[in-house]
């Protein structure tokens, strides 16, 4: 039985053996490593030998064959020696196989793997089994620094080839364009208004950003980035960032897509009446200062105006005297306009109106220490207390004749003055410096001479 089995196996081996000739391309299996090279089973009566070193086909240098036991490799029959061994070439097989791939790539668009070797005039030299030229214009969809591609591996397609002159031209750009087209078709097939998608920030402009959704770009307009105010777009995201966006518009004919970031969240004004009401005190951030007032953001997308007259119970020449951008302030809600999406806020309304108790706190006849705020031809405006101002008429500066207020007072000077009139209804307090002293004219009548 054993003898019959061996005969059958021998018969099968003999049937597998076929005649070979130099130059033939064969697929063999590495058996073991010898002294001069690898022994390869090529289904021939003698084993093939793949030498460790081979000269390149073009004669420029040599290559080292590195393989492992059990690996299947393509080889070309190179020659037969006197001992019956068949000497093989992996380099010739690679070269011939490379040209088969090159022609297939050129004819049917088969993609090939290329190793970038060096930078040359007008492009790159790459290896696809044989050396090929990759023009700079075919490296990428947009011009790039060619030095960045050195030693990298790229997928390419052959666009020109001539075996006789060994001239091969390849393109990586066409691969990228085909990938983009495939992605674009897949994106368009699944695109719907209202859906949330991920995208890559491709380009940032003054009016918004273009977002790559996969082979097709959408516009994220600056007005759709946030419910609140924004500064530079670079402070929000950078080119290459992956972001979540909502599709809010899609024109299949023009292939235009409109995107939004802010609509990932609900409009903060939709249920504003459930969150705040007139009279509430809210905290907010000063985001803008104008001559007429201050804009305060109470939450993203909700802002209000504090008019200059509502900053302080006292006189405010310019809002920047009271606050600066970035300050956190408490403010009372004076009005809510949902239609215009605007709040009216007051800073001074956080505190009681000091004029309501002015008669009790500043009775006529009292002497107050005041600070000179402003000077005008008619007199001086002084600060009596926070939110309480008064005036000192020019005729109340001295018992002498005063031609200019600056003869007596200067801005920010601290002086004592007597309260001579209080008018809460018109929010006015009149003070006098001269009445801190006795009227010298009375002395003149008493003593017959005048001392001032």
């Amino acid at each position: 039985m054993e003898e019959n089995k061996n005969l059958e196996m021998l018969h099968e081996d003999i049937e597998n053996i076929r005649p070979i000739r130099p130059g033939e391309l064969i697929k063999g299996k590495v058996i073991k490593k010898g002294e001069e090279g690898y022994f390869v089973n090529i289904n021939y009566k003698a084993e093939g030998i793949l030498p460790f070193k081979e000269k390149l086909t073009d004669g420029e240098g040599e290559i080292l064959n590195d393989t492992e036991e059990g690996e299947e490799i393509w080889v070309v029959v190179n020659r037969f020696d006197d001992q019956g061994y068949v000497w093989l070439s992996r380099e010739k097989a690679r070269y011939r196989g490379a040209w088969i791939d090159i022609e297939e790539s050129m004819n049917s668009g088969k993609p090939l793997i290329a190793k970038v070797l060096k930078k040359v005039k007008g492009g790159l030299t790459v290896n696809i089994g044989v050396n090929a030229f990759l023009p700079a214009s075919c490296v990428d969809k947009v011009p790039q620094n060619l030095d960045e591609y050195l030693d990298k591996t790229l997928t390419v397609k052959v666009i020109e080839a001539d075996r006789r002159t060994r001239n091969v031209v390849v393109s990586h750009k066409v691969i990228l364009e085909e990938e983009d087209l495939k992605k674009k078709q897949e994106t368009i097939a699944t695109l719907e208004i209202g859906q949330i998608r991920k995208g890559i920030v491709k380009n940032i402009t003054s009016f918004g950003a273009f977002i790559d959704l996969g082979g097709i770009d959408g516009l994220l307009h600056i007005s759709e980035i946030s419910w609140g105010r924004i500064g530079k777009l670079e402070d929000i995201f950078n080119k290459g960032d992956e972001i979540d966006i909502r599709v809010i518009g899609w024109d299949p004919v023009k292939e235009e897509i409109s995107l939004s970031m802010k609509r990932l969240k609900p409009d903060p004004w939709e249920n504003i009446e459930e969150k705040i009401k007139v009279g509430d005190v809210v905290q907010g951030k000063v985001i803008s200062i104008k001559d007429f007032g201050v804009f305060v953001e109470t939450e993203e997308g909700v802002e209000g105006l504090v008019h200059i007259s509502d900053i302080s119970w006292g006189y405010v020449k310019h809002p920047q005297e009271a606050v600066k951008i970035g300050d956190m302030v408490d403010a009372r809600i004076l009005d809510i306009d949902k239609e215009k999406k605007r709040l009216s806020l007051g800073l001074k309304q956080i505190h009681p109106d000091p004029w309501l108790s002015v008669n009790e706190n500043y009775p006529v006849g009292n002497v107050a220490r005041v600070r000179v705020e402003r000077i005008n031809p008619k007199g001086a405006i002084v600060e009596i207390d926070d939110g309480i101002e008064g005036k000192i008429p020019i005729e109340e500066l001295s018992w002498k004749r005063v031609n200019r207020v600056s003869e007596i007072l200067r801005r920010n000077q601290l002086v004592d003055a007597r309260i001579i009139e209080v008018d809460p209804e018109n929010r006015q307090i009149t003070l006098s410096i001269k009445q801190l002293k006795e009227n010298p004219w009375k002395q003149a009548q008493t003593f017959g001479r005048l001392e001032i």
Side-chain angles (χ1 to χ4, degrees), residues 5-17:
K5 188 175 181 180
N6 291 334
L7 287 172
E8 288 177 7
M9 292 178 63
L10 180 61
H11 181 68
E12 288 177 3
D13 289 341
I14 292 173
E15 286 183 344
N16 289 332
I17 293 174

Side-chain angles (χ1 to χ4, degrees), residues 275-431:
K275 296 183 287 185
I276 56 175
K277 60 182 183 298
V278 172
D280 285 351
V281 175
V282 294
Q283 188 177 66
K285 182 179 181 180
V286 177
I287 58 175
S288 179
I289 299 177
K290 304 294 183 182
D291 292 340
F292 55 84
V294 176
F295 287 98
V296 176
E297 185 180 58
T298 60
E299 65 172 284
E300 182 183 340
V302 178
E303 64 181 53
L305 172 65
V306 181
H307 192 269
I308 189 171
S309 62
D310 288 312
I311 290 177
S312 172
W313 290 111
Y315 174 78
V316 177
K317 183 178 181 181
H318 194 281
Q320 65 187 8
E321 295 178 356
V323 295
K324 61 181 182 295
I325 291 178
D327 281 355
M328 297 300 297
V329 296
D330 291 328
R332 193 174 297 279
I333 298 174
L334 307 180
D335 185 53
I336 301 174
D337 191 332
K338 186 175 181 179
E339 184 178 344
K340 293 182 179 179
K341 296 186 175 182
R342 181 61 57 84
L343 302 177
S344 292
L345 304 173
L347 297 184
K348 73 180 185 181
Q349 286 81 358
I350 293 292
H351 309 286
D353 184 351
W355 285 94
L356 296 178
S357 56
V358 70
N359 282 323
E360 293 79 9
N361 294 332
Y362 308 102
V364 172
N366 272 18
V367 176
R369 186 76 168 172
V370 300
R371 182 178 64 83
V372 179
E373 286 196 334
R374 305 182 300 282
I375 294 175
N376 58 55
K378 295 182 179 181
I381 304 299
V382 297
E383 182 184 56
I384 303 172
D385 203 347
D386 187 22
I388 300 292
E389 290 184 343
K391 65 178 180 179
I392 304 177
I394 190 170
E395 62 270 17
E396 292 295 334
L397 293 176
S398 174
W399 292 108
K400 291 182 180 181
R401 178 181 178 82
V402 178
N403 294 317
R404 291 191 302 274
V405 178
S406 59
E407 295 174 5
I408 308 295
L409 299 175
R410 65 181 184 277
R411 193 169 180 271
N412 290 323
Q413 182 181 355
L414 294 175
V415 295
D416 291 329
R418 188 179 301 279
I419 298 172
I420 60 175
E421 183 182 355
V422 178
D423 184 354
E425 185 176 347
N426 293 308
R427 294 177 179 262
Q428 290 183 359
I429 295 179
T430 306
L431 302 98

Side-chain angles (χ1 to χ4, degrees), residues 176-189 197 212-216:
L176 298 177
E177 290 174 340
E178 289 176 359
E179 289 175 352
D180 281 350
L181 179 60
K182 183 179 179 181
K183 288 179 183 177
K184 177 180 177 180
Q185 292 170 342
E186 291 173 351
T187 299
I188 289 176
R197 304 184 71 106
D212 182 3
L213 301 177
I216 186 170

